[in-house]
Amino acid sequence: MLEIRNLHVAVDGKEILKGIDLAVGRGEVHALMGPNGSGKSTLAYVLAGREGYEVTKGEVLYQGRNLLDLAPEERAREGVFLGFQYPVEIPGVAAMNFLKAAVNAVRKHRGEDELDAIDFLKLVRDKAKALKMDGELLKRPLNVGFSGGEKKRNEILQMAMIDPRLAVLDETDSGLDIDALKIVAAGVNALRGPERAILLITHYQRLLNYIVPDRVHVLVDGRIVKSGGKKLALEVDDQGYEPFTAGEKAA
Amino acid sequence: MGKDKSIAASYARQFAEVEGALPGRGLAWLDALRANAIERFAELDFPTPKLESWKFTNLRPLTREVFAPSPATRNGLGKGDVARWLADDLPCHLMVFVDGHFRADLSELGALPRGARVASLAETLAGDPARLEAHLAGNDAIEGDAPVALNTALMADGAVIALDRGVALEKPVHLLYLATAATKPVAMHLRNLVVAEPGSSATLIETYAAPRGGRYWTNAVTDIVVARDAQIRHFKLQNESVDAFHLAATRARLAKGSGYDSFYASFGARLSRNEIATRLDGEGADCRLSGVYLARGRQHVDNTTVIDHREPGSVSKEHYKGVLDGDAHGVFQGKIIVRPGAQKTDAHQLNKNLLLSKTAQADTKPELEIHADDVKCSHGAAVGELDAEALFYLRSRGLDPAHAQRMLVEAFIGEVIDGIGTPALRSHLGRLVAAWLSEAED
């Protein structure tokens, strides 16, 4: 599904990612863990196509195609979804209208009929209910005045509505209390399936108690220093990133 | 100056040629008023950017040639050309003007309540001129810049709306000015007068449009008298041909306890300047000015407002937003005056501009002249670009850049549009904004 090969990325001339190799297969859930400043969010943004990130070396293949050639909206329509660490507040754009435009842009690209107002509302209501989201929230301007937890739930709602093939979730757990974390995790787990791949980016192991990954990678200073099974996350939780950082320095 | 001077002289000659055919000819007060005005026009000449109040707007494109008074025409415009400019679900007293002349056949005035009169300027001058004298020939009538003076000299038609004490006009009066493509450049010197006696209220809608485009000059002056405790809501849509010139001066005087609520939307014209000058003459008067201006290509759009607080306890709120694309140039000049003794004045002004291209330009000039010490006044001005993060967020969900931009522009403008009290007008304007935005993708 996703194949990242020797990816080097610079921001303002400074190299942040220093040769990432990562393959996430169909049906798999991978966790990418790392300390602050290790390049986790940079990788997420590069995958989504944000401006200002210069790929200096390497490639990213998505379903066998060169992902980096596609504009952000093309990636989204092809099934790539980025759950933002900090969802953007957009005054004046009602969350519901935005969601409808997004869903229909993706559906249109897939050759599906656009949802009419009634079908759309029904779908939103069902999905929002599963995430224990207040429907009134969606009448408000997008993310404006949403609490941290509401913003993250809104990201997961968008993901559920858009139905992506590859979901990259950037610190979706940050700022969530335990109840919200469980709800969000259930939302992500509902999306797990043989046709989809998920890349969870997180600082802490906590989320991985609820979304159990197939593989765990540790990112330090722009490089993946260790990969392993779900137990690797416990190791990180137990020892912190220090041993991995030291290993990096020694190398 | 040589060339400009000759233009002014040309208009003076034009006046001499046409004055005999102007409406109200033979009314001594009016003949004198017109004669004074053309003299004043010749003295003033067209303003240039050397004048502080015209610093950002150069009328040179308008003054390269002489615009002849627009003749009354019987052209092929029909009800269909009219209908598209009307708001859905909003019955109105409709007055249609084609090329600056009232057209009874296209208008639908309907029944007016007792004590309300709505008629054209030309017919009022013919049948009931005494009603106009005090308002047109008052000292203020020839104040203002050269275009206003020229309007006074050459005014040919417009609307006269008079409300007796306590009369509430339920349905809005819609003045629809349609210009047809003339073979030579013509000018329409429109003069409107609204007199709202104490305790009366009405909504006035003005729409300027050109179904077939064309190069012409609309020069409109609207005087509004809002007597004690009267309320006037004024909604103006400027959708002129993109080759046209639109100069308009609206002058409103507010008595004690009265309200004037103005909304202006500018979409059209090669060059436009919409001036609104309000005088809050009475205690507790309430003045709201809001507007949106959208321009692209080589359009120049100027919004110049003056709010003059003269008595204690009056309120003004002003909010204008501009969206500028291409090589367009937007101007906002907002002057707020608080006279000595106008204590407890509450005045707030905000102007924000969104530039959609590297070559678009916005000039914003708030100007506060405060001569009283116990007042609340604030102003804010901003010029910015679309938020790149917001744009990326929308695109990352599958929206193409044009769609994402449209959504953000609508949101930006929406902040002002949402303040329109009448739902039918709000959605009418929403449609016009959406139409303007979708033109970009043609």
Side-chain angles (χ1 to χ4, degrees), chain B residues 1-13 41-51 57-66 146 150:
Chain B
M1 289 298 281
K3 195 172 181 190
D4 283 353
K5 204 70 191 165
S6 76
I7 276 285
S10 302
Y11 278 107
R13 279 196 301 277
F41 169 76
E43 262 168 45
L44 289 169
D45 204 341
F46 281 104
T48 71
K50 284 180 199 155
L51 274 177
T57 295
N58 193 333
L59 286 182
R60 187 171 295 276
L62 174 74
T63 58
R64 281 198 197 109
E65 60 193 318
V66 178
L150 192 62

Side-chain angles (χ1 to χ4, degrees), chain A residues 48-50 71-73 76-77 81-82 84 87-88 90-93 97-98 101-102 105 142-143 155 158 162, chain B residues 387-404 407-412 414-415 418:
Chain A
R50 186 175 170 155
E73 63 275 13
R77 292 173 195 171
F81 179 90
L82 170 63
F84 282 61
V88 183
I90 308 187
V93 173
N97 291 348
F98 158 69
L142 185 54
N143 292 323
E155 293 290 290
Q158 289 172 30
I162 290 171
Chain B
D387 179 359
E389 269 202 63
L391 211 48
F392 173 65
Y393 189 63
L394 297 180
R395 290 178 70 188
S396 79
R397 297 294 181 255
L399 273 58
D400 62 56
H403 190 175
M407 219 174 217
L408 293 177
V409 171
E410 278 182 317
F412 176 77
E415 213 192 325
D418 289 348

Side-chain angles (χ1 to χ4, degrees), chain B residues 32-101:
Chain B
L33 180 70
R34 290 188 192 275
N36 281 343
I38 198 69
E39 243 175 68
R40 182 164 163 78
F41 169 76
E43 262 168 45
L44 289 169
D45 204 341
F46 281 104
T48 71
K50 284 180 199 155
L51 274 177
E52 182 60 24
S53 62
W54 288 83
K55 194 167 139 188
F56 302 113
T57 295
N58 193 333
L59 286 182
R60 187 171 295 276
L62 174 74
T63 58
R64 281 198 197 109
E65 60 193 318
V66 178
F67 289 74
S70 165
T73 47
R74 288 281 142 192
N75 50 53
L77 283 188
K79 297 267 182 194
D81 298 300
V82 169
R84 59 181 287 218
W85 297 108
L86 307 180
D88 292 337
D89 306 318
L90 188 69
C92 290
H93 305 286
L94 174 66
M95 288 185 92
V96 179
F97 296 79
V98 175
D99 295 329
H101 298 275

Side-chain angles (χ1 to χ4, degrees), chain A residues 200-217:
Chain A
L200 291 173
I201 294 175
T202 182
H203 188 95
Y204 300 105
Q205 182 269 344
R206 190 177 67 148
L207 177 70
L208 307 182
N209 290 333
Y210 303 96
I211 309 169
V212 180
D214 299 302
R215 297 282 292 166
V216 175
H217 312 274

Side-chain angles (χ1 to χ4, degrees), chain B residues 250 262 264 273-278 289-291 302-308 318-320 331-337 349 365-367:
Chain B
T250 297
S262 153
Y264 175 60
R273 171 156 162 135
N274 195 58
E275 288 181 20
I276 303 175
T278 61
L289 306 182
S290 51
D302 176 334
N303 305 277
T304 294
T305 66
V306 179
I307 301 174
D308 187 354
E318 183 168 27
H319 193 184
Y320 269 73
V331 177
F332 174 82
Q333 303 187 109
K335 185 189 272 191
I336 295 175
I337 306 167
Q349 180 190 81
K365 191 175 93 177
E367 211 180 330

Side-chain angles (χ1 to χ4, degrees), chain A:
Chain A
M1 177 77 71
L2 176 70
E3 210 178 331
I4 301 171
R5 292 176 186 161
N6 191 30
L7 184 68
H8 291 250
V9 174
V11 178
D12 294 329
K14 184 171 182 270
E15 190 167 54
I16 306 289
L17 298 182
K18 302 169 179 173
I20 302 273
D21 288 286
L22 180 65
V24 183
R26 211 172 284 271
E28 294 177 354
V29 175
H30 288 220
L32 183 69
M33 302 182 73
N36 290 333
S38 58
K40 301 190 300 290
S41 287
T42 297
L43 180 64
Y45 281 138
V46 168
L47 294 177
R50 186 175 170 155
E51 275 177 37
Y53 296 83
E54 193 196 347
V55 175
T56 51
K57 211 189 273 183
E59 61 180 351
V60 178
L61 299 177
Y62 167 68
Q63 296 186 326
R65 295 175 62 188
N66 180 354
L67 183 70
L68 302 178
D69 273 355
L70 302 178
E73 63 275 13
E74 292 170 327
R75 298 181 196 198
R77 292 173 195 171
E78 291 290 339
V80 178
F81 179 90
L82 170 63
F84 282 61
Q85 182 181 1
Y86 302 109
V88 183
E89 296 187 6
I90 308 187
V93 173
M96 190 74 96
N97 291 348
F98 158 69
L99 190 55
K100 188 162 185 235
V103 167
N104 282 333
V106 174
R107 287 182 70 96
K108 199 173 156 195
H109 180 75
R110 290 180 186 155
E112 298 166 1
D113 285 339
E114 293 188 12
L115 288 178
D116 65 31
I118 295 166
D119 288 344
F120 173 78
L121 273 178
K122 192 179 171 320
L123 192 61
V124 172
R125 219 170 284 146
D126 290 349
K127 303 277 187 195
K129 203 174 160 192
L131 289 164
K132 296 200 165 66
M133 267 178 84
D134 183 357
E136 287 299 305
L137 205 60
L138 295 170
K139 293 179 184 164
R140 302 211 327 235
L142 185 54
N143 292 323
V144 178
F146 287 30
S147 70
E150 286 169 338
K151 283 181 184 170
K152 295 300 174 72
R153 270 187 243 195
N154 192 34
E155 293 290 290
I156 300 303
L157 174 69
Q158 289 172 30
M159 180 176 77
M161 292 292 295
I162 290 171
D163 189 19
R165 293 295 163 266
L166 169 67
V168 179
L169 302 176
D170 188 5
E171 306 227 4
T172 297
D173 50 334
S174 67
L176 294 184
D177 62 29
I178 191 68
D179 293 326
L181 184 73
K182 284 182 186 168
I183 293 164
V184 164
V188 175
N189 284 327
L191 202 78
R192 263 181 119 144
E195 289 307 309
R196 294 195 190 82
I198 296 172
L199 180 61
L200 291 173
I201 294 175
T202 182
H203 188 95
Y204 300 105
Q205 182 269 344
R206 190 177 67 148
L207 177 70
L208 307 182
N209 290 333
Y210 303 96
I211 309 169
V212 180
D214 299 302
R215 297 282 292 166
V216 175
H217 312 274
V218 177
L219 182 71
V220 174
D221 192 26
R223 290 186 184 92
I224 290 177
V225 295
K226 192 163 186 184
S227 297
K230 61 185 176 192
K231 282 190 182 132
L232 180 56
L234 295 170
E235 211 177 296
V236 169
D237 192 42
D238 198 32
Q239 304 168 20
Y241 289 105
E242 189 59 34
F244 302 97
T245 316
E248 171 67 11
K249 275 175 192 154

Side-chain angles (χ1 to χ4, degrees), chain B residues 173-196:
Chain B
V173 177
H174 192 155
L175 311 177
L176 175 58
Y177 302 96
L178 298 175
T180 63
T183 46
K184 58 174 187 172
V186 295
M188 284 149 281
H189 302 282
L190 297 162
R191 187 60 160 254
N192 303 307
L193 178 63
V194 178
V195 180

Side-chain angles (χ1 to χ4, degrees), chain B residues 252-388:
Chain B
R253 295 176 65 155
L254 282 69
K256 187 173 177 178
S258 71
Y260 175 64
D261 186 346
S262 153
F263 183 92
Y264 175 60
S266 172
F267 300 98
R270 160 77 182 80
L271 184 156
S272 66
R273 171 156 162 135
N274 195 58
E275 288 181 20
I276 303 175
T278 61
R279 243 173 75 168
L280 281 57
D281 281 330
E283 213 175 322
D286 187 318
C287 174
R288 314 270 158 151
L289 306 182
S290 51
V292 296
Y293 45 102
L294 297 90
R296 61 164 68 96
R298 293 177 55 231
Q299 285 181 291
H300 178 101
V301 49
D302 176 334
N303 305 277
T304 294
T305 66
V306 179
I307 301 174
D308 187 354
H309 293 266
R310 293 170 163 246
E311 294 292 330
S314 59
V315 175
S316 69
K317 287 205 163 61
E318 183 168 27
H319 193 184
Y320 269 73
K321 280 192 163 188
V323 176
L324 304 159
D325 200 356
D327 297 319
H329 184 182
V331 177
F332 174 82
Q333 303 187 109
K335 185 189 272 191
I336 295 175
I337 306 167
V338 180
R339 306 270 171 183
Q343 299 294 3
K344 306 282 182 196
T345 289
D346 190 354
H348 301 278
Q349 180 190 81
L350 186 61
N351 172 237
K352 284 187 181 177
N353 296 276
L354 185 58
L355 304 181
L356 298 181
S357 75
K358 294 283 172 217
T359 47
Q361 192 188 338
D363 286 296
T364 173
K365 191 175 93 177
E367 211 180 330
L368 271 59
E369 268 180 36
I370 301 174
H371 306 284
D373 52 10
D374 183 15
V375 299
K376 266 199 283 182
C377 294
S378 71
H379 69 92
V383 179
E385 294 169 17
L386 279 177
D387 179 359

